[in-house]
Amino acid sequence: MRTQVRELLALYEQMVLVRRTEKAAHDLFLSGLVKGTTHLAAGHEAIAVGASAALRDDDYVFATYRGHHHALARGATPQECLAELMSRATGLCRAKGGSMHLTKAATGMLGSYAIVGAHLPMAVGAAWSARLRGTGQVAVAFFGDGATNIGAFHEALNLAAVWKLPVLFVCENNLYMEYTPIADVTAVARPAADRASAYGIPGEVVDGNDVVLVREAVFRLAERARTGDGPALLEAETYRHFGHSRADPATYRPAEEVERWLGRDPLDIARGRLTELGVPAGTLADADERARDVVQRAVDAAKAAPGPDPREALTDVWADGGAEWRT
Ligand SMILES: Cc1ncc(C[n+]2csc(CCOP(=O)(O)OP(=O)(O)O)c2C)c(N)n1
Ligand SMILES: [Mg+2]
């Protein structure tokens, strides 16, 4: 899959939109309009945007609590996401999900999950369902480096490999699991890719800050899975611009490391590629401005939206009555 200038420009604009939505979420949190916690994905944009551009519209995506970028890349609007973060009736999940549970089943965004590693077996299940139905869909699970030391990661990989399921595991390796460097607690250098050989599946490393490289790698591995060659593991190297969540100042990260990674901002890398391809600065500025307008309108609309109707508290909530028979 070669990325054309026109496509790259669209990917750039989408990444700017994600970055601006994240910035708005941060500002709204600081002004007390977003309650609870948020895990910003600023710095990770190229992974969600590049991967989504390589997938079919009906493919399935599973994300973590750091999933704003995936929801936006898979069809949720900034307005739906920000309204959800602000617990408004117009939110993506009508205020029942919040930042950590952004879900849009209609566009294949099958959820964001707060329990580290929990969604990997779910992605395997979705892939199995696609196989049984013969739809040609692929399921993609995005997760952090910390998930690679969780049992569910290994169970999911093994079953997916044994059944040769159409699932792609994408690790967003940002070097930290909350405040602990992944390298301090992992015996291999590549926490995801180096584990692939144990399950007999391909393991690759990609520059997760380069949207073009992510798109090409995901396309190749997803098509391989789609045509029956089974799962693969892609480790995308990246870095978060903010702390782990909310007001974490991330002082545990060496200044020199932060500076090096800020110098590899995915937006700058895409901008550099576009400039090299002859796209004028004015065209990039127009894209920036369009994204700024969309997000500003989203913030205004979310602020103006009503809170959820208390009479809807029990709608769209599934219960199997288990509380009675389990006790
Ligand atoms: C099973 C489980 N254990 C612990 C936690 C608490 N926790 C939330 S995020 C996190 C760090 C995960 O790091 P990583 O997988 O690298 O993702 P990142 O936050 O860097 O995107 C931890 C330990 C949790 N949510 N679930
Ligand atoms: Mg991490």
Side-chain angles (χ1 to χ4, degrees), residues 33-256:
L33 286 169
V34 170
K35 309 276 190 253
T37 192
T38 49
H39 302 78
L40 301 180
H44 287 222
E45 296 90 345
I47 302 173
V49 170
S52 291
L55 297 176
R56 263 174 31 181
D57 284 350
D58 64 343
D59 285 336
Y60 295 131
V61 163
F62 294 76
T64 71
Y65 48 85
R66 195 182 307 287
H68 300 167
H69 51 331
H70 300 294
L72 290 162
R74 292 306 281 175
T77 64
Q79 188 175 324
E80 286 174 322
C81 291
L82 292 173
E84 184 63 30
L85 266 59
M86 291 166 68
S87 301
R88 306 297 162 136
T90 53
L92 187 61
C93 305
R94 304 228 293 279
K96 290 198 176 102
S99 167
M100 288 202 277
H101 301 289
L102 297 180
T103 302
K104 190 163 185 173
T107 59
M109 171 67 193
L110 292 194
S112 313
Y113 297 86
I115 303 301
V116 173
H119 58 301
L120 275 68
M122 294 182 203
V124 171
W128 188 29
S129 145
R131 154 80 62 76
L132 288 174
R133 289 177 290 119
T135 59
Q137 292 163 291
V138 168
V140 185
F142 295 91
F143 51 94
D145 41 282
T148 63
N149 288 331
I150 292 273
F153 166 83
H154 297 275
E155 294 169 20
L157 254 63
N158 186 57
L159 198 60
V162 169
W163 287 351
K164 263 190 147 189
L165 294 175
V167 55
L168 179 59
F169 300 98
V170 180
C171 176
E172 302 190 19
N173 183 359
N174 60 12
L175 310 185
Y176 290 86
M177 27 187 296
E178 266 183 344
Y179 322 117
T180 308
I182 186 72
D184 287 2
V185 294
T186 308
V188 289
R190 305 283 186 191
D194 283 352
R195 261 73 176 263
S197 62
Y199 300 101
I201 64 173
E204 291 189 17
V205 178
V206 70
D207 178 351
N209 284 10
D210 188 328
V211 72
V212 171
L213 298 183
V214 171
R215 183 179 190 235
E216 290 172 3
V218 169
F219 180 77
R220 190 166 31 76
L221 296 174
E223 287 311 300
R224 191 185 164 277
R226 207 184 298 288
T227 49
D229 287 340
L233 187 47
L234 181 65
E235 180 171 331
E237 297 180 304
T238 189
Y239 204 73
R240 53 173 155 74
H241 286 186
F242 293 97
H244 171 71
S245 63
R246 291 176 294 179
D248 166 23
T251 47
Y252 45 86
R253 304 193 302 186
E256 166 282 313

